[in-house]
Amino acid sequence: MRLRNIPRAESVLEACKEVVKDPESLRGDWNQTFKKEQPLHIEIGMGKGQFLLTLAAQNPQINYIGIERYSSVLLRAVEKFQELEAEGKAPANIRFICMDANDLPTVFAPAEVSRIYLNFSDPWPKARHARRRLTSNEFFKLYDQILTADGTVEFKTDNRPLFDFSVEELETSELFVLDQLSYDLHNDSTMNQGNIMTEYEAKFSSMGNPICKLIAKRR
């Protein structure tokens, strides 16, 4: 996937105090960067940030970290945060990291994260790239290293082949088990309760695409 480089991205991220510049130094002690010691939830591939910013505002009793690999993408979320900040509405319980998801165990200690959100992740459609998918068993092994004993992974997508792949991975996983599943989230009265839509979710749903969601928990 080719992304347009935004020259100002690096300087904006560097100037924002909510963007953690040296995340490895906080491994095992992430609560020190927040005002309160409370459960930690992370979103991998947070995109423009609507989902996590809304969650943080609604749940001040939880600390949130949004992770993006590309600075030009993370820029959008940070700018949205800064807009809220200018209005006096920015949540205090959110931080941002520009990093690759493969490095999760170097940034978070065992049992430090309570929940992981994956929303409309890159499908990596070619079979030879299957291990790069964030719902592959390769990544579930990483999640297992940082989640609490009762930790969960929540995944949403409109990409049915990717969703089917994710379900199949969980069926063979020795570390995680499928807890909840819906192939049409917005018409599922149970799983859709309290659902917060991402930008992609709103777009694809308006096009008539059913949204799939699963929740996986550790064995």
Side-chain angles (χ1 to χ4, degrees), residues 18-75:
E18 282 75 24
V19 177
V20 180
K21 316 309 189 295
D22 186 18
E24 294 85 358
S25 67
L26 291 170
R27 184 179 185 270
D29 197 15
W30 271 99
N31 280 310
Q32 70 169 285
T33 192
F34 295 96
K35 293 182 179 179
K36 297 180 180 179
E37 183 171 339
Q38 46 197 24
L40 179 63
H41 294 185
I42 67 175
E43 182 182 10
I44 303 173
M46 72 176 304
K48 297 179 181 179
Q50 174 177 298
F51 174 82
L52 208 64
L53 284 167
T54 303
L55 264 184
Q58 292 183 357
N59 300 281
Q61 76 283 6
I62 298 171
N63 293 330
Y64 294 92
I65 297 177
I67 296 171
E68 255 301 336
R69 180 179 180 183
Y70 302 102
S71 60
S72 293
V73 178
L74 183 57
L75 172 68

Side-chain angles (χ1 to χ4, degrees), residues 73-85:
V73 178
L74 183 57
L75 172 68
R76 301 304 189 191
V78 169
E79 287 182 330
K80 184 168 292 187
F81 173 86
Q82 292 174 332
E83 290 173 4
L84 292 172
E85 191 174 37

Side-chain angles (χ1 to χ4, degrees), residues 145-158:
Q145 295 181 48
I146 66 173
L147 281 171
T148 56
D150 59 350
T152 59
V153 177
E154 297 193 8
F155 172 56
K156 288 195 292 186
T157 185
D158 73 315

Side-chain angles (χ1 to χ4, degrees), residues 2 4 26 34 40 67 70-71 79 86 99 101 106 111 118 155 160 164 177-178 184 190 192 197 201 213-214:
R2 185 180 297 274
R4 182 170 65 90
L26 291 170
F34 295 96
L40 179 63
I67 296 171
Y70 302 102
S71 60
E79 287 182 330
M99 61 173 279
T106 69
L118 308 172
F155 172 56
R160 183 59 184 269
D164 289 342
V177 63
L178 191 61
D184 191 1
T190 300
N192 195 47
M197 287 203 290
E201 185 173 353
K213 180 177 180 177
L214 65 79

